Amino acid sequence: MTSLSSSPSLVFTVRRRQPELVAPATPTPREVKLLSDIDDQEGLRFHIPFFHIYQHKPSMEGKDPVRIIRDALSRTLVFYYPFAGRIREGHGRKLMVDCTEEGVLFIEADADVTLDQLRGSLHPPFPCSQELLYNVPGSDGIVNCPLLLIQVTRFKCGGFVFAIRVNHTMMDATGLVQFVSALTEMAQGAHQPSILPVWQRELLLARDPPQITCNHREYEQLPNTKEGTIISYENNMVQRSFFFGPTEIASLRRLVPRHLGQCTRFELITVCLWRCRTKALQLAPEDDVRMMCIVNARARFNPTIPLGYYGNAFVYPAAVSSVRKLCENPFYYAVELIKKVKTEVTEEYVHSVADLMVTKGRPLFTTVGSFIVSNLTRFGLREADFGWGKALYAGVSQGGVGPAFHGVTFFMDYENEKGEEGVLFPIYLPSKAMERFEKELGDLFGGDLKTYTVFMKSETSKVYGLCTSSVHTSQASIFIFIMRGDYYWRSHLTCFSIMHKNNMLICPAMKQQNINYSEQMLQ
């Protein structure tokens, strides 16, 4: 586990030209198009920024990324013409796109810095991020504002940053990748995108009459006293990025018994963050906490949602646990919760969400005790190639969703300075909680995963334990998994306590004569 911090002393100047509106290169239909009832929920009414960072390429010497991208943008908007329009709000807070051909905002800029000077800072939080994606005054509203803001900033070395801010009601991560891919294709000379855009937002409109058929704990409306929650520290928040490489993933994988089957990298990191973050916030043991996982629902439909659909087609079901159960149960307790809610996402579940939106006034998701994870590692963000090759970094420019809600993180593919591929994620926490969060991660990955063998009445059971501190101290906290045939029993042993279960004596210390202790690492 590596904590990544940007250099606080790195300051550079960005010179920007006046923002301009880039319209479609040729006339496009003048019409009004409804967004879906998944698109226009309150939780998606914000703008989300992404950075793509490219290094100098000798074969592109003399070619200007600003000119190339601006020209490609106008031609791409012929196919994605709704982006050149403006959002309007109708009856019942229903959102729609007025296709006006007004255009999207584009900024040309130059920075007096090289990529070499930025090495070690090519991740959130970016130094001078507001200079690399300037918030044009009056441009960040949801209705009656440009739907895209793009800034291309050239570096002195010949590299550049392609920064894009997207009105989230228009598209999700799949849609963003599709749009940026189309833009890169046009930048390299294509006459049309290889995947043509599909609107068809009626696929995810509410039914008539609407029917809420599923349990949606992600939209429970709970009172927020603020005391003891992350919101109460909003003026003392810090952001930091963390990197999990192959070593950390392997360590987490050893915490899950085989009967749960293969766990994804997403599930392992999500559970790790949920537990460590909850402990760091020091919430009351009886409080409920939620982990909401973004689930792409495209393939859950029959037939599947058409290729080229770039609207929001995801839901975020909530795994719910008390703080006590989450923190005191073994690691795989939370893995089971995450696996369960992911399997609950069906075509009916998505329709139920859309129906809930129109029935209950398009509510915001539950923010009290909530944490949301979005997995961007499967989208190949770094593959976007304007002609300068693969991006050094591609992903969100920050954690959270602006000032509205800090409890969101994004998993992104990242290559560290050692050349290791892994997962990078930015996270916001109150400053003191961030210190505790880092300590929780340090304790977790600093512990040794060992195999214990218990001999009792000629029966052998394998016991798997994670020591979060040295086994030679009285402060060891050990998670134990005992396997007898196909049956697993679990316990949390602290301070070398002795526990009895089904006439079996369990003790993680060598002091008991009937216990054979081995420090062999689990494979």
Side-chain angles (χ1 to χ4, degrees):
M1 181 274 299
T2 305
S3 172
L4 306 177
S5 299
S6 297
S7 173
S9 60
L10 181 60
V11 178
F12 55 90
T13 301
V14 176
R15 296 183 306 278
R16 294 183 304 272
R17 292 194 177 183
Q18 285 296 315
E20 59 181 301
L21 286 171
V22 175
T26 59
T28 56
R30 182 69 167 84
E31 58 188 348
V32 175
K33 303 173 83 69
L34 288 178
L35 292 180
S36 80
D37 289 311
I38 299 296
D39 290 325
D40 63 6
Q41 58 184 291
E42 183 64 33
L44 298 183
R45 297 189 182 201
F46 66 93
H47 293 258
I48 183 167
F50 288 80
F51 284 0
H52 289 67
I53 302 176
Y54 297 90
Q55 61 188 343
H56 172 66
K57 186 177 181 181
S59 64
M60 298 296 285
E61 188 71 40
K63 295 185 179 180
D64 181 10
V66 171
R67 184 190 62 79
I68 290 174
I69 293 174
R70 180 168 44 205
D71 176 70
L73 178 61
S74 67
R75 292 184 290 113
T76 304
L77 288 174
V78 173
F79 300 92
Y80 287 87
Y81 64 90
F83 280 120
R86 299 293 182 264
I87 295 285
R88 315 295 186 203
E89 187 174 54
H91 177 71
R93 303 182 68 223
K94 184 64 193 169
L95 298 184
M96 60 202 76
V97 184
D98 187 1
C99 300
T100 62
E101 293 187 320
E102 290 176 75
V104 304
L105 276 171
F106 185 89
I107 303 173
E108 175 182 352
D110 292 277
D112 63 348
V113 70
T114 67
L115 272 175
D116 282 342
Q117 290 174 280
L118 289 172
R119 297 289 180 183
S121 298
L122 299 181
H123 54 75
F126 288 92
C128 304
S129 62
Q130 294 180 346
E131 296 298 317
L132 297 173
L133 185 57
Y134 176 62
N135 181 21
V136 178
S139 69
D140 57 357
I142 298 302
V143 299
N144 305 320
C145 288
L147 300 176
L148 293 177
L149 167 62
I150 292 174
Q151 178 173 327
V152 181
T153 305
R154 293 173 289 233
F155 294 131
K156 290 196 303 182
C157 59
F160 66 94
V161 175
F162 168 79
I164 181 170
R165 191 186 70 189
V166 181
N167 184 322
H168 206 331
T169 65
M170 287 292 291
M171 62 180 168
D172 57 12
T174 301
L176 173 68
V177 170
Q178 181 180 309
F179 174 79
V180 173
S181 295
L183 185 58
T184 62
E185 290 172 349
M186 303 297 270
Q188 297 204 57
H191 296 292
Q192 71 175 35
S194 58
I195 299 177
L196 293 174
V198 172
W199 185 260
Q200 291 189 24
R201 306 296 169 105
E202 67 276 5
L203 292 174
L204 297 180
L205 287 175
R207 297 170 287 200
D208 186 15
Q211 307 168 55
I212 304 175
T213 55
C214 301
N215 185 23
H216 299 287
R217 300 203 66 181
E218 64 271 32
Y219 293 107
E220 289 180 332
Q221 300 304 298
L222 304 175
N224 186 4
T225 64
K226 289 193 176 183
E227 182 180 356
T229 69
I230 193 170
I231 298 175
S232 63
Y233 302 100
E234 58 188 8
N235 295 323
N236 189 30
M237 301 292 290
V238 295
Q239 180 184 189
R240 194 157 295 163
S241 287
F242 295 84
F243 174 81
F244 280 13
T247 300
E248 288 77 19
I249 301 301
S251 295
L252 294 176
R253 201 172 295 283
R254 295 187 189 110
L255 299 178
V256 182
R258 293 180 181 177
H259 80 284
L260 280 183
Q262 184 68 23
C263 290
T264 66
R265 186 174 63 172
F266 169 80
E267 291 164 347
L268 294 170
I269 301 177
T270 296
V271 169
C272 175
L273 297 193
W274 190 20
R275 286 165 52 91
C276 291
R277 180 180 180 273
T278 300
K279 292 177 182 179
L281 287 172
Q282 296 183 335
L283 304 174
E286 297 76 24
D287 287 351
D288 278 346
V289 285
R290 283 168 172 73
M291 169 56 75
M292 294 185 241
C293 302
I294 303 292
V295 178
N296 187 343
R298 283 168 170 79
R300 310 291 175 106
F301 279 66
N302 185 19
T304 60
I305 291 178
L307 178 67
Y309 184 90
Y310 59 99
N312 292 283
F314 70 87
V315 290
Y316 29 85
V320 184
S321 172
S322 71
V323 171
R324 187 187 306 279
K325 288 183 178 179
L326 177 65
C327 297
E328 293 186 0
N329 272 309
F331 186 88
Y332 74 83
Y333 161 80
V335 172
E336 290 178 309
L337 293 180
I338 298 298
K339 282 180 173 290
K340 181 177 183 296
V341 296
K342 286 171 62 181
T343 62
E344 291 174 356
V345 176
T346 61
E347 180 175 348
E348 178 61 31
Y349 189 97
V350 180
H351 285 307
S352 182
V353 170
D355 293 349
L356 182 149
M357 289 298 137
V358 300
T359 302
K360 298 192 175 182
R362 311 184 195 284
L364 180 65
F365 54 80
T366 307
T367 59
V368 180
S370 295
F371 188 39
I372 300 177
V373 172
S374 179
N375 184 15
L376 303 179
T377 62
R378 295 184 177 184
F379 293 106
L381 292 172
R382 283 192 290 162
E383 301 302 319
D385 182 3
F386 292 98
W388 280 262
K390 181 178 176 181
L392 295 177
Y393 172 86
V396 295
S397 65
Q398 61 187 34
V401 288
F405 183 63
H406 291 300
V408 182
T409 192
F410 303 86
F411 294 170
M412 296 166 289
D413 285 319
Y414 189 78
E415 181 179 317
N416 67 8
E417 294 179 348
K418 299 178 182 177
E420 294 178 320
E421 291 285 343
V423 177
L424 177 83
F425 55 90
I427 188 169
Y428 268 109
L429 281 171
S431 57
K432 292 296 184 182
M434 183 66 80
E435 294 176 8
R436 294 190 292 267
F437 178 76
E438 290 197 77
K439 183 180 184 302
E440 289 291 339
L441 289 178
D443 288 345
L444 178 62
F445 292 117
D448 294 324
L449 194 62
K450 304 179 184 301
T451 299
Y452 300 84
T453 304
V454 178
F455 292 95
M456 191 71 174
K457 298 181 179 178
S458 299
E459 295 179 350
T460 301
S461 299
K462 287 187 178 179
V463 183
Y464 305 103
L466 174 72
C467 303
T468 58
S469 60
S470 170
V471 295
H472 301 296
T473 73
S474 62
Q475 300 302 314
S477 180
I478 302 175
F479 290 103
I480 296 296
F481 305 87
I482 303 170
M483 182 186 73
R484 300 189 71 173
D486 293 329
Y487 171 69
Y488 285 81
W489 175 75
R490 62 184 182 271
S491 180
H492 176 245
L493 305 178
T494 304
C495 302
F496 297 136
S497 59
I498 299 175
M499 300 186 65
H500 293 265
K501 180 71 174 178
N502 297 333
N503 298 319
M504 180 181 289
L505 178 66
I506 308 299
C507 177
M510 295 176 62
K511 297 178 181 178
Q512 303 298 317
Q513 294 182 355
N514 61 335
I515 290 183
N516 179 19
Y517 172 77
S518 171
E519 292 193 357
Q520 175 186 355
M521 294 295 292
L522 272 177
Q523 301 300 320

